[in-house]
Amino acid sequence: LDMMDGVVSNAVLELELERIPARIAAAGGDGDEATYLRDLESAIRLRMSAVEALVGAGTLTIQAYMDSVGSEISQARQWALAAKRGGRKDLAARALQRMKAMQGEVREMAAAMDAADE
C-alpha cells in the first residue's frame, strides 16, 4: 500500500501524507523505518506534483482522472479482501479507508461536473 507510483487519487495521496507523522512517531522517529517513511513522504509529494502537472497541462483529463480513480477503488477493494483473508486487519482497514476517500472524491467531482452542466 505504500507504492505511490500508480496512484492518481489526490484524496489517497493526501490521506497517506497525513498518516506519515504518526507512522514516524510509531516507528520511534529514528532508524530505518523512519528514514523509509520520510522518503515515502517525499515520494507522495512528488506524485502529487506530477498529477497536478498532468492535469494542468491537459494531459490527464478530468474524465481520465475519474476513470483512474475508479480503477484505484477496485484495486483497494481487492487489497482489503486479500488482507482480510490473510489475517491483516490493519492493512484491510487502511485499504478500506483509501477506498472510502476515493469514493468521496468521485462523488464530489461528479457533483461539481453536474453543477457545471446546469
Side-chain angles (χ1 to χ4, degrees):
L1 287 174
D2 283 344
M3 293 299 297
M4 295 295 144
D5 292 344
V7 176
V8 174
S9 171
N10 192 59
V12 167
L13 293 168
E14 288 178 353
L15 178 68
E16 293 298 331
L17 194 59
E18 290 171 6
R19 289 182 174 153
I20 297 290
R23 290 177 69 188
I24 289 172
D30 198 18
D32 292 342
E33 181 69 13
T35 300
Y36 166 77
L37 291 168
R38 285 191 213 45
D39 289 345
L40 178 60
E41 180 179 22
S42 295
I44 292 169
R45 289 186 191 283
L46 181 62
R47 185 65 185 157
M48 289 174 89
S49 295
V51 171
E52 184 178 314
L54 289 171
V55 172
T59 306
L60 181 62
T61 65
I62 296 299
Q63 188 59 52
Y65 178 87
M66 289 180 66
D67 292 346
S68 292
V69 172
S71 295
E72 289 179 41
I73 290 170
S74 297
Q75 181 65 48
R77 183 177 292 118
Q78 291 172 2
W79 284 339
L81 291 172
K84 184 178 177 185
R85 280 189 219 111
R88 293 294 310 267
K89 290 182 181 181
D90 58 326
L91 293 179
R94 188 171 160 201
L96 287 174
Q97 288 171 341
R98 287 173 77 156
M99 192 175 77
K100 288 179 183 181
M102 288 184 281
Q103 288 170 334
E105 181 180 25
V106 168
R107 275 193 303 275
E108 287 176 19
M109 290 183 72
M113 289 173 68
D114 288 345
D117 288 341
E118 292 177 0

